[in-house]
Amino acid sequence: MLEISGLVSGYYGLKIVRGISLKVEKGEVLFVMGRNGVGKTTLLKTVVGHIRPMSGRVVIDGHDVTGWSPHAIARMGVGYVPQDRGVFARLTVEENLRIAEGLNGEILKEAFKLFPELEPLRDRKGGKLSGGEQQILAVARAIASRPKLLVMDEPATGLAPPIIRRMVEAVKQLTSQGASAIIAEQNPALVFELADKLALMEAGEIKAIIGRDRLAESQQLLRSALGLSYQDR
Ligand SMILES: Nc1ncnc2c1ncn2[C@@H]1O[C@H](COP(=O)(O)OP(=O)(O)O)[C@@H](O)[C@H]1O
Ligand SMILES: [Mg+2]
């Protein structure tokens, strides 16, 4: 579903992602983990077309989308939750959702079914939402568009545990229907629930790929690679 090969990208000629190759099969969930600043967001932005790579290729569902616009990539059926949420401040909740409508005519119904707390906020401007509400909106927009590839950048940030649960269930439902996901996230609850594999990133490169069967025994590796203690979270 997603094949990244030899990807190099960054800002103003500065290489942040330094030659990454990754594959996400149909129905699979890949987590990208690593300390702050290793280039997770830069990698995901490059996948969805917000940054044009310096070299390498991005192939989605058999199409070479390298250099395509974010709009063209979204239209292929790619749902994206940016780290900064990407909620349009001057559009209402409904309008923010309808932006992804091209992919699924039922997006409002679907979004309100998954996240009923959005419905009373329907006519509120994005800029008037709390940070947590904006996060729900961003997640709802991406998931309710029923993408074949879901790209999420720290989606659990600012979400209460019951909402995270519903997000996990919604992602499971999508992948059970053949969608794939690439998610940058450190939240262990999410990782252990959803991950088919983990890519550990360090300084713009993939240091290790860990399959689901090795997740439990890899805790020590993860902890040191992330510079955190799982018990703390
Ligand atoms: N818009 C930008 N312009 C220049 N440098 C950036 C920009 N965004 C991120 N960077 C730099 O790229 C590096 C990786 O950032 P990022 O991809 O956000 O990492 P992560 O998501 O893993 O925390 C950091 O050193 C950051 O300072
Ligand atoms: Mg980031």
Side-chain angles (χ1 to χ4, degrees):
M1 184 58 80
L2 171 66
E3 189 166 359
I4 299 167
S5 44
L7 201 68
V8 177
S9 78
Y11 310 91
Y12 318 109
L14 181 67
K15 293 173 181 164
I16 301 291
V17 167
R18 301 155 175 270
I20 284 189
S21 300
L22 280 176
K23 248 188 191 178
V24 188
E25 308 291 346
K26 199 165 149 61
E28 204 173 53
V29 180
L30 169 76
F31 276 80
V32 179
M33 301 182 79
R35 294 182 195 222
N36 274 340
V38 295
K40 303 180 297 293
T41 294
T42 306
L43 172 65
L44 298 189
K45 280 185 171 173
T46 310
V47 168
V48 296
H50 284 278
I51 301 175
R52 196 179 272 265
M54 298 172 201
S55 56
R57 291 200 316 155
V58 177
V59 175
I60 296 175
D61 202 16
H63 299 271
D64 186 340
V65 301
T66 317
W68 285 25
S69 72
H71 184 66
I73 291 177
R75 251 193 343 225
M76 282 196 63
V78 176
Y80 176 44
V81 179
Q83 187 166 7
D84 65 6
R85 307 180 188 121
V87 167
F88 296 96
R90 300 169 78 162
L91 300 185
T92 63
V93 166
E94 174 169 351
E95 290 162 343
N96 267 282
L97 289 168
R98 286 203 189 277
I99 282 185
E101 177 123 74
L103 304 170
N104 169 17
E106 306 258 297
I107 188 160
L108 276 190
K109 207 170 119 198
E110 182 93 8
F112 295 154
K113 194 172 93 194
L114 292 171
F115 301 100
E117 45 278 276
L118 283 178
E119 192 155 13
L121 303 172
R122 186 177 183 142
D123 297 318
R124 191 165 302 176
K125 294 264 198 279
K128 299 274 186 212
L129 301 176
S130 73
E133 289 164 347
Q134 290 189 9
Q135 187 67 31
I136 299 174
L137 176 56
V139 168
R141 181 172 58 190
I143 292 178
S145 73
R146 299 225 173 179
K148 54 188 171 194
L149 177 66
L150 187 58
V151 179
M152 301 206 285
D153 199 347
E154 307 205 4
T157 307
L159 295 186
I163 295 175
I164 295 179
R165 275 242 55 81
R166 272 186 274 136
M167 175 173 80
V168 165
E169 289 312 315
V171 172
K172 278 186 180 168
Q173 168 116 42
L174 272 183
T175 55
S176 73
Q177 292 163 356
S180 308
I182 178 167
I183 306 174
E185 182 62 66
Q186 319 282 45
N187 183 322
L190 220 66
V191 175
F192 284 97
E193 275 277 341
L194 283 173
D196 292 302
K197 55 189 189 189
L198 281 185
L200 262 188
M201 224 176 139
E202 233 173 79
E205 294 177 356
I206 302 297
K207 281 292 155 195
I209 301 222
I210 301 166
R212 171 147 203 101
D213 49 329
R214 285 177 46 227
L215 277 187
E217 68 195 64
S218 305
Q219 290 235 18
Q220 195 55 45
L221 172 69
L222 282 174
R223 205 175 298 166
S224 63
L226 298 174
L228 54 78
S229 156
Y230 265 76
Q231 273 75 39
D232 294 345
R233 313 245 325 193

